[in-house]
mmCIF file of all heavy atoms in Angstrom:
data_model
loop_
_atom_site.group_PDB
_atom_site.id
_atom_site.type_symbol
_atom_site.label_atom_id
_atom_site.label_comp_id
_atom_site.label_asym_id
_atom_site.label_seq_id
_atom_site.Cartn_x
_atom_site.Cartn_y
_atom_site.Cartn_z
ATOM 1 N N ALA A 279 95.069 106.422 104.841
ATOM 2 C CA ALA A 279 94.403 106.229 103.561
ATOM 3 C C ALA A 279 95.227 106.966 102.517
ATOM 4 O O ALA A 279 95.208 108.189 102.442
ATOM 5 C CB ALA A 279 92.981 106.774 103.612
ATOM 6 N N GLY A 280 95.982 106.232 101.743
ATOM 7 C CA GLY A 280 96.903 106.859 100.803
ATOM 8 C C GLY A 280 98.272 107.004 101.428
ATOM 9 O O GLY A 280 98.423 107.682 102.445
ATOM 10 N N ASN A 281 99.264 106.372 100.843
ATOM 11 C CA ASN A 281 100.602 106.373 101.419
ATOM 12 C C ASN A 281 101.245 107.758 101.290
ATOM 13 O O ASN A 281 101.305 108.309 100.194
ATOM 14 C CB ASN A 281 101.462 105.328 100.690
ATOM 15 C CG ASN A 281 102.737 105.009 101.431
ATOM 16 O OD1 ASN A 281 103.577 105.871 101.627
ATOM 17 N ND2 ASN A 281 102.899 103.761 101.831
ATOM 18 N N PRO A 282 101.727 108.338 102.395
ATOM 19 C CA PRO A 282 102.332 109.671 102.315
ATOM 20 C C PRO A 282 103.615 109.719 101.497
ATOM 21 O O PRO A 282 103.957 110.774 100.959
ATOM 22 C CB PRO A 282 102.591 110.041 103.784
ATOM 23 C CG PRO A 282 102.526 108.765 104.525
ATOM 24 C CD PRO A 282 101.617 107.863 103.781
ATOM 25 N N VAL A 283 104.326 108.596 101.391
ATOM 26 C CA VAL A 283 105.497 108.581 100.507
ATOM 27 C C VAL A 283 105.056 108.797 99.066
ATOM 28 O O VAL A 283 105.648 109.584 98.325
ATOM 29 C CB VAL A 283 106.287 107.269 100.653
ATOM 30 C CG1 VAL A 283 107.405 107.190 99.615
ATOM 31 C CG2 VAL A 283 106.873 107.133 102.059
ATOM 32 N N ASP A 284 103.996 108.114 98.662
ATOM 33 C CA ASP A 284 103.487 108.284 97.301
ATOM 34 C C ASP A 284 103.065 109.730 97.044
ATOM 35 O O ASP A 284 103.188 110.230 95.922
ATOM 36 C CB ASP A 284 102.286 107.362 97.069
ATOM 37 C CG ASP A 284 102.650 105.889 97.169
ATOM 38 O OD1 ASP A 284 103.850 105.562 97.273
ATOM 39 O OD2 ASP A 284 101.725 105.053 97.165
ATOM 40 N N ALA A 285 102.572 110.399 98.082
ATOM 41 C CA ALA A 285 102.089 111.766 97.929
ATOM 42 C C ALA A 285 103.208 112.745 97.600
ATOM 43 O O ALA A 285 102.957 113.776 96.970
ATOM 44 C CB ALA A 285 101.365 112.204 99.203
ATOM 45 N N VAL A 286 104.439 112.422 98.025
ATOM 46 C CA VAL A 286 105.554 113.357 97.800
ATOM 47 C C VAL A 286 106.551 112.832 96.774
ATOM 48 O O VAL A 286 107.506 113.540 96.428
ATOM 49 C CB VAL A 286 106.276 113.677 99.122
ATOM 50 C CG1 VAL A 286 105.327 114.364 100.094
ATOM 51 C CG2 VAL A 286 106.879 112.432 99.768
ATOM 52 N N TRP A 287 106.349 111.625 96.294
ATOM 53 C CA TRP A 287 107.253 111.016 95.298
ATOM 54 C C TRP A 287 106.761 111.422 93.921
ATOM 55 O O TRP A 287 105.955 110.755 93.292
ATOM 56 C CB TRP A 287 107.245 109.515 95.483
ATOM 57 C CG TRP A 287 108.242 108.753 94.658
ATOM 58 C CD1 TRP A 287 109.092 109.246 93.710
ATOM 59 C CD2 TRP A 287 108.473 107.330 94.705
ATOM 60 N NE1 TRP A 287 109.840 108.236 93.173
ATOM 61 C CE2 TRP A 287 109.491 107.062 93.752
ATOM 62 C CE3 TRP A 287 107.924 106.298 95.447
ATOM 63 C CZ2 TRP A 287 109.953 105.759 93.540
ATOM 64 C CZ3 TRP A 287 108.386 105.016 95.238
ATOM 65 C CH2 TRP A 287 109.395 104.750 94.299
ATOM 66 N N ALA A 288 107.266 112.541 93.429
ATOM 67 C CA ALA A 288 106.747 113.143 92.200
ATOM 68 C C ALA A 288 106.978 112.268 90.978
ATOM 69 O O ALA A 288 106.157 112.261 90.053
ATOM 70 C CB ALA A 288 107.383 114.519 91.991
ATOM 71 N N GLU A 289 108.073 111.547 90.932
ATOM 72 C CA GLU A 289 108.410 110.751 89.755
ATOM 73 C C GLU A 289 108.254 109.253 90.036
ATOM 74 O O GLU A 289 108.966 108.423 89.465
ATOM 75 C CB GLU A 289 109.828 111.076 89.295
ATOM 76 C CG GLU A 289 110.001 112.532 88.877
ATOM 77 C CD GLU A 289 111.407 112.858 88.429
ATOM 78 O OE1 GLU A 289 112.270 111.955 88.471
ATOM 79 O OE2 GLU A 289 111.652 114.002 88.017
ATOM 80 N N GLN A 290 107.316 108.896 90.884
ATOM 81 C CA GLN A 290 107.099 107.490 91.194
ATOM 82 C C GLN A 290 106.695 106.726 89.931
ATOM 83 O O GLN A 290 105.768 107.113 89.224
ATOM 84 C CB GLN A 290 105.997 107.338 92.251
ATOM 85 C CG GLN A 290 105.755 105.908 92.691
ATOM 86 C CD GLN A 290 104.659 105.819 93.752
ATOM 87 O OE1 GLN A 290 103.818 106.719 93.860
ATOM 88 N NE2 GLN A 290 104.672 104.760 94.530
ATOM 89 N N PRO A 291 107.385 105.627 89.622
ATOM 90 C CA PRO A 291 107.001 104.837 88.451
ATOM 91 C C PRO A 291 105.600 104.266 88.605
ATOM 92 O O PRO A 291 105.121 104.066 89.725
ATOM 93 C CB PRO A 291 108.059 103.713 88.432
ATOM 94 C CG PRO A 291 109.207 104.233 89.232
ATOM 95 C CD PRO A 291 108.588 105.101 90.291
ATOM 96 N N PRO A 292 104.933 103.983 87.508
ATOM 97 C CA PRO A 292 103.585 103.411 87.585
ATOM 98 C C PRO A 292 103.647 101.969 88.061
ATOM 99 O O PRO A 292 104.697 101.320 88.009
ATOM 100 C CB PRO A 292 103.085 103.498 86.139
ATOM 101 C CG PRO A 292 104.336 103.470 85.317
ATOM 102 C CD PRO A 292 105.371 104.204 86.116
ATOM 103 N N PRO A 293 102.518 101.430 88.536
ATOM 104 C CA PRO A 293 102.487 100.017 88.914
ATOM 105 C C PRO A 293 102.807 99.127 87.720
ATOM 106 O O PRO A 293 102.550 99.500 86.570
ATOM 107 C CB PRO A 293 101.036 99.801 89.382
ATOM 108 C CG PRO A 293 100.529 101.166 89.697
ATOM 109 C CD PRO A 293 101.225 102.099 88.760
ATOM 110 N N PRO A 294 103.365 97.945 87.964
ATOM 111 C CA PRO A 294 103.708 97.053 86.849
ATOM 112 C C PRO A 294 102.460 96.494 86.190
ATOM 113 O O PRO A 294 101.539 96.029 86.866
ATOM 114 C CB PRO A 294 104.526 95.945 87.521
ATOM 115 C CG PRO A 294 104.052 95.935 88.936
ATOM 116 C CD PRO A 294 103.726 97.364 89.267
ATOM 117 N N LEU A 295 102.423 96.529 84.872
ATOM 118 C CA LEU A 295 101.237 96.088 84.129
ATOM 119 C C LEU A 295 101.626 95.179 82.967
ATOM 120 O O LEU A 295 101.001 95.205 81.905
ATOM 121 C CB LEU A 295 100.463 97.305 83.614
ATOM 122 C CG LEU A 295 99.849 98.220 84.675
ATOM 123 C CD1 LEU A 295 99.259 99.470 84.044
ATOM 124 C CD2 LEU A 295 98.780 97.475 85.479
ATOM 125 N N LYS A 296 102.635 94.358 83.164
ATOM 126 C CA LYS A 296 103.058 93.452 82.100
ATOM 127 C C LYS A 296 102.081 92.287 81.984
ATOM 128 O O LYS A 296 101.491 91.859 82.974
ATOM 129 C CB LYS A 296 104.477 92.966 82.375
ATOM 130 C CG LYS A 296 105.493 94.106 82.341
ATOM 131 C CD LYS A 296 106.903 93.627 82.599
ATOM 132 C CE LYS A 296 107.884 94.790 82.555
ATOM 133 N NZ LYS A 296 109.268 94.356 82.835
ATOM 134 N N PRO A 297 101.898 91.761 80.781
ATOM 135 C CA PRO A 297 100.888 90.709 80.582
ATOM 136 C C PRO A 297 101.186 89.450 81.394
ATOM 137 O O PRO A 297 102.333 89.042 81.557
ATOM 138 C CB PRO A 297 100.982 90.413 79.079
ATOM 139 C CG PRO A 297 101.596 91.640 78.484
ATOM 140 C CD PRO A 297 102.532 92.170 79.516
ATOM 141 N N ALA A 298 100.124 88.844 81.903
ATOM 142 C CA ALA A 298 100.213 87.519 82.513
ATOM 143 C C ALA A 298 100.105 86.477 81.406
ATOM 144 O O ALA A 298 99.462 86.704 80.381
ATOM 145 C CB ALA A 298 99.105 87.334 83.538
ATOM 146 N N VAL A 299 100.722 85.324 81.621
ATOM 147 C CA VAL A 299 100.720 84.282 80.591
ATOM 148 C C VAL A 299 100.353 82.943 81.214
ATOM 149 O O VAL A 299 100.624 82.689 82.389
ATOM 150 C CB VAL A 299 102.099 84.174 79.896
ATOM 151 C CG1 VAL A 299 102.429 85.465 79.165
ATOM 152 C CG2 VAL A 299 103.189 83.834 80.911
ATOM 153 N N PRO A 300 99.722 82.051 80.450
ATOM 154 C CA PRO A 300 99.445 80.706 80.961
ATOM 155 C C PRO A 300 100.736 79.943 81.229
ATOM 156 O O PRO A 300 101.742 80.137 80.539
ATOM 157 C CB PRO A 300 98.651 80.046 79.825
ATOM 158 C CG PRO A 300 98.127 81.183 79.004
ATOM 159 C CD PRO A 300 99.150 82.269 79.102
ATOM 160 N N HIS A 301 100.684 79.088 82.234
ATOM 161 C CA HIS A 301 101.795 78.194 82.548
ATOM 162 C C HIS A 301 101.380 76.806 82.077
ATOM 163 O O HIS A 301 100.425 76.228 82.582
ATOM 164 C CB HIS A 301 102.067 78.205 84.053
ATOM 165 C CG HIS A 301 103.358 77.560 84.447
ATOM 166 N ND1 HIS A 301 104.562 77.912 83.891
ATOM 167 C CD2 HIS A 301 103.630 76.584 85.354
ATOM 168 C CE1 HIS A 301 105.535 77.203 84.449
ATOM 169 N NE2 HIS A 301 104.983 76.372 85.324
ATOM 170 N N ALA A 302 102.079 76.276 81.103
ATOM 171 C CA ALA A 302 101.655 75.064 80.418
ATOM 172 C C ALA A 302 101.565 73.868 81.361
ATOM 173 O O ALA A 302 102.302 73.757 82.335
ATOM 174 C CB ALA A 302 102.630 74.748 79.275
ATOM 175 N N PHE A 303 100.663 72.964 81.026
ATOM 176 C CA PHE A 303 100.436 71.776 81.854
ATOM 177 C C PHE A 303 101.707 70.939 82.005
ATOM 178 O O PHE A 303 101.983 70.404 83.081
ATOM 179 C CB PHE A 303 99.317 70.930 81.241
ATOM 180 C CG PHE A 303 99.138 69.602 81.923
ATOM 181 C CD1 PHE A 303 98.486 69.517 83.144
ATOM 182 C CD2 PHE A 303 99.638 68.438 81.356
ATOM 183 C CE1 PHE A 303 98.330 68.287 83.790
ATOM 184 C CE2 PHE A 303 99.477 67.212 81.988
ATOM 185 C CZ PHE A 303 98.833 67.135 83.198
ATOM 186 N N ASN A 304 102.504 70.817 80.938
ATOM 187 C CA ASN A 304 103.705 69.983 81.030
ATOM 188 C C ASN A 304 104.745 70.584 81.965
ATOM 189 O O ASN A 304 105.657 69.886 82.418
ATOM 190 C CB ASN A 304 104.309 69.761 79.640
ATOM 191 C CG ASN A 304 104.835 71.052 79.021
ATOM 192 O OD1 ASN A 304 104.152 72.075 79.051
ATOM 193 N ND2 ASN A 304 106.026 71.002 78.459
ATOM 194 N N LEU A 305 104.586 71.865 82.297
ATOM 195 C CA LEU A 305 105.463 72.507 83.270
ATOM 196 C C LEU A 305 104.815 72.535 84.654
ATOM 197 O O LEU A 305 105.485 72.348 85.666
ATOM 198 C CB LEU A 305 105.802 73.933 82.830
ATOM 199 C CG LEU A 305 106.579 74.066 81.520
ATOM 200 C CD1 LEU A 305 106.712 75.540 81.131
ATOM 201 C CD2 LEU A 305 107.959 73.418 81.646
ATOM 202 N N ALA A 306 103.510 72.764 84.691
ATOM 203 C CA ALA A 306 102.807 72.841 85.976
ATOM 204 C C ALA A 306 102.596 71.458 86.589
ATOM 205 O O ALA A 306 102.614 71.302 87.810
ATOM 206 C CB ALA A 306 101.465 73.536 85.794
ATOM 207 N N GLY A 307 102.331 70.459 85.750
ATOM 208 C CA GLY A 307 102.127 69.110 86.246
ATOM 209 C C GLY A 307 100.713 68.806 86.691
ATOM 210 O O GLY A 307 100.397 67.653 87.009
#
Side-chain angles (χ1 to χ4, degrees):
N281 195 298
V283 173
D284 297 352
V286 298
W287 187 356
E289 298 180 358
Q290 183 179 22
L295 295 173
K296 296 181 180 179
V299 297
H301 192 53
F303 172 77
N304 66 314
L305 297 174

